[in-house]
Amino acid sequence: MIAMVHKLDESCGLIVKTLHDYGLLENSIIVFTTDNGGPAAGFNNNAASNWPLRSVKNTLWEGGVRGAGIIWSPLLSNTSRVFYDIIHIQDWLPTLLDAIGQGSKIPPGVDGISQWDSLNMGQPSRRSEVLHNIDDKYGNLAIRVGDWKLLHGTTYNGKWDGWYGPSGVEAKEFVQMNTTIDTLFHSAMNSMAGIAFQEVLPNAVENSHSMTEILKEAIVICRKPNINTESNPCNLTAGESCLFNIKIDPCERNNVASDYPGIVKLLYKKLDKYREGMVPPLNKPKDSRGQPKFWDYKWTNWMDYIEPLPSSTMC
């Protein structure tokens, strides 16, 4: 795992350095993001951490659907900050078209919303809701509207519905980690990407203190619920519908569905509206020709450019 992260870091550095060498970095937008939460605590033999968020990938809890990301560009006006608004992966197409002055070419009818004004100038996000999923195979669904999130049904019979560490570094510990942060800061600034970034934007991150403050802002901190007034667990395996206020309870510990039945009803109406446009899933069966062992142990878009392998090589 360490070797993979190292090569990923090295590859990103080479990309940034190459853009700079060819004079393209000054007019580039770089987005580095995940597609979903990590597989924690041995899920598929992995050891990621979504702490303190609940659950893992392939679930509809925040630990499964909330991603982390970074956007960097000399074209951004309001920088060195944490973006708190809702953004969905489907927003990247219209956002990037808008960023390069091609907003008129955003295809009509796309689900995505341009977030360029929010990312660039800090304006309020135009997105107020996200359909996380309606999965009739697993029998689960989730939607977020504003600060409210509704869940029903689960995956793996609820086996991965808990909270899994390790927690990593908590915000309160940063004060005691100046040496570690200084080391991290100088390593980042002296990397291939860091050197290229500094030549284009020399004062983007002034020092390790500035970096520490941004890191602290980006950390999700979940307060413990009051056991007398906020201890309503959610049991999706029992067929419950669970409602959470994600703004004040991002770790989904206090199910308030019984306190706000009107909001539950409203969110189900939203889900019914989304169902009207559903189409059957187009998942294809597994194909052993795509196994990494046939492609120098890389995941690759093999069907785009190769002839099928002889059946005798498959297993």
Side-chain angles (χ1 to χ4, degrees), residues 169-189:
V169 178
E170 302 291 351
K172 63 183 180 181
E173 296 172 339
F174 273 108
V175 178
Q176 305 167 356
M177 293 190 61
N178 291 331
T179 301
T180 302
I181 292 297
D182 284 339
T183 301
L184 177 62
F185 176 78
H186 289 298
S187 295
M189 292 298 99

Side-chain angles (χ1 to χ4, degrees), residues 50-118:
N50 306 311
W51 185 269
L53 301 177
R54 188 170 185 173
S55 196
V56 299
K57 69 175 292 184
N58 204 25
T59 73
L60 299 181
W61 298 102
E62 288 297 284
V65 300
R66 184 183 292 209
I70 298 172
I71 180 170
W72 178 94
S73 176
L75 306 177
L76 289 167
S77 301
N78 189 351
T79 58
S80 296
R81 63 187 176 92
V82 178
F83 184 78
Y84 292 101
D85 292 330
I86 300 174
I87 188 169
H88 192 274
I89 190 171
Q90 62 196 12
D91 296 337
W92 284 118
L93 172 63
T95 296
L96 294 175
L97 282 174
D98 215 3
I100 61 173
Q102 299 297 315
S104 62
K105 295 185 179 180
I106 297 173
V110 298
D111 293 322
I113 298 170
S114 174
Q115 301 270 16
W116 183 243
D117 288 343
S118 301

